[in-house]
Amino acid sequence: MSFKKNEMLIMPAVDIKNGKCVQLVQGKPGSEMIEIDNPENVARHWEELGAETIHIIDLDGTIEGKTNLRVIKKILNEITIPVQLGGGIRSIEYAKKLLNLNINRIIIGTMGIQNHKIIEELSDEYGSERIMISLDSKDNKVVIKGWQEKIDKTPIELSKEFKQHGAGSILFTNVDVEGLLGGFYTDPVIKLKNSVDLPIVYSGGITTINDVKELNKTGVEGVVIGSALYKNKIDFAEAIKYQKRVKK
């Protein structure tokens, strides 16, 4: 599953916590604004509406170190489109287990940031296109461990390092606006896009169809939309019209 030239893939988010599909505010436990049983049915719903990829985050893995592998397997059995998955990938053994389940792309954050050689090993064995690095930004510094710890590097600095270590793409989340349904800032996205020659998927703050249109102009290869879809602020059928690159 590679990114297509001149397209911005629209990816619905299916975040899993305690076996349910949820949407949190700023990633904080207990802040659920959406809570839906049977995430596999939610994923199938997005596929039926035309989604080409489902973006899954295992929040229990991210926050508590547990995993929702049983639910993830249900989703894989329920849909036919590619899946990219992140959250709780804390060991190379678990990363390989997911890749061997035919997860199309895994998203690695804390583990890869702390040990770049893991990215090299996974990319060499499975192909770089299946390895995505998660760069979560707060106050223009990367945060790790479920956004609980800030390190003294910017997303641009780390993106260049991971390009050298075999990462195939970047998931860039602006924590400052994530989950707030208040829009997003274009400058950090454009600066990151212009700094590194890797496909970039953006997440955080996408609230209106105009946000989708403006993000398309930044040149990113994908966008993850969560709360705005579940709160009916963005119509998915309208959003996927912007998968083709629009002129600036």
Side-chain angles (χ1 to χ4, degrees):
M1 179 182 66
S2 58
F3 294 98
K4 299 175 183 177
K5 188 176 181 180
N6 296 321
E7 285 196 11
M8 182 183 75
L9 198 60
I10 308 291
M11 307 180 188
V14 178
D15 295 350
I16 306 170
K17 189 173 187 293
N18 296 326
K20 297 182 179 182
C21 175
V22 304
Q23 285 291 300
L24 305 182
V25 177
Q26 294 274 280
K28 296 176 182 177
S31 67
E32 288 85 348
M33 66 168 74
I34 297 292
E35 200 168 17
I36 308 171
D37 291 327
N38 303 312
E40 66 275 15
N41 293 341
V42 177
R44 187 179 69 244
H45 169 74
W46 295 126
E47 179 179 14
E48 289 171 349
L49 288 181
E52 297 180 18
T53 298
I54 300 294
H55 174 88
I56 301 174
I57 296 295
D58 186 346
L59 289 172
D60 289 321
T62 297
I63 298 167
E64 301 178 12
K66 299 184 297 184
T67 63
N68 280 286
L69 194 56
R70 180 181 62 84
V71 178
I72 292 165
K73 288 179 178 178
K74 279 187 176 181
I75 293 174
L76 291 174
N77 289 332
E78 195 66 35
I79 64 175
T80 62
I81 57 177
V83 162
Q84 67 179 31
L85 170 73
I89 305 177
R90 302 288 171 82
S91 71
I92 195 166
E93 292 78 18
Y94 186 54
K96 290 182 177 182
K97 184 175 185 177
L98 293 172
L99 289 163
N100 289 332
L101 277 177
N102 288 325
I103 298 286
N104 298 84
R105 182 185 295 117
I106 61 170
I107 307 163
I108 298 177
T110 303
M111 178 176 70
I113 290 169
Q114 293 179 329
N115 186 353
H116 293 9
K117 289 185 178 180
I118 287 174
I119 303 304
E120 288 185 9
E121 181 176 339
L122 292 171
S123 294
D124 288 345
E125 185 171 348
Y126 293 94
S128 62
E129 71 279 357
R130 299 186 69 190
I131 311 301
M132 173 178 272
I133 286 294
S134 177
L135 297 181
D136 302 330
S137 174
K138 186 172 179 61
D139 303 321
N140 199 36
K141 295 291 185 180
V142 171
V143 287
I144 59 175
K145 298 182 180 178
W147 302 350
Q148 301 303 306
E149 182 179 318
K150 187 181 292 184
I151 65 174
D152 193 28
K153 287 193 176 181
T154 68
I156 289 175
E157 289 170 338
L158 273 180
S159 68
K160 292 178 179 178
E161 292 179 18
F162 283 117
K163 167 72 174 177
Q164 297 173 347
H165 286 274
S169 55
I170 291 171
L171 174 67
F172 176 55
T173 302
N174 189 341
V175 179
D176 295 324
V177 298
E178 198 279 333
L180 296 179
L181 291 174
F184 77 107
Y185 304 128
T186 58
D187 282 355
V189 185
I190 293 170
K191 287 177 180 177
L192 181 61
K193 180 62 187 170
N194 290 340
S195 71
V196 64
D197 185 23
L198 281 175
I200 292 173
V201 173
Y202 176 76
S203 173
I206 304 302
T207 307
T208 67
I209 199 67
N210 190 60
D211 290 335
V212 178
K213 181 179 179 180
E214 290 304 309
L215 192 61
N216 182 296
K217 296 176 184 178
T218 68
V220 296
E221 282 74 16
V223 55
V224 175
I225 310 178
S227 300
L229 290 176
Y230 292 98
K231 300 286 282 186
N232 296 315
K233 291 182 178 294
I234 292 178
D235 178 73
F236 187 71
E238 182 73 13
I240 59 176
K241 294 178 182 178
Y242 291 96
Q243 288 199 150
K244 294 293 185 184
R245 187 72 61 209
V246 298
K247 294 182 179 180
K248 296 183 181 181

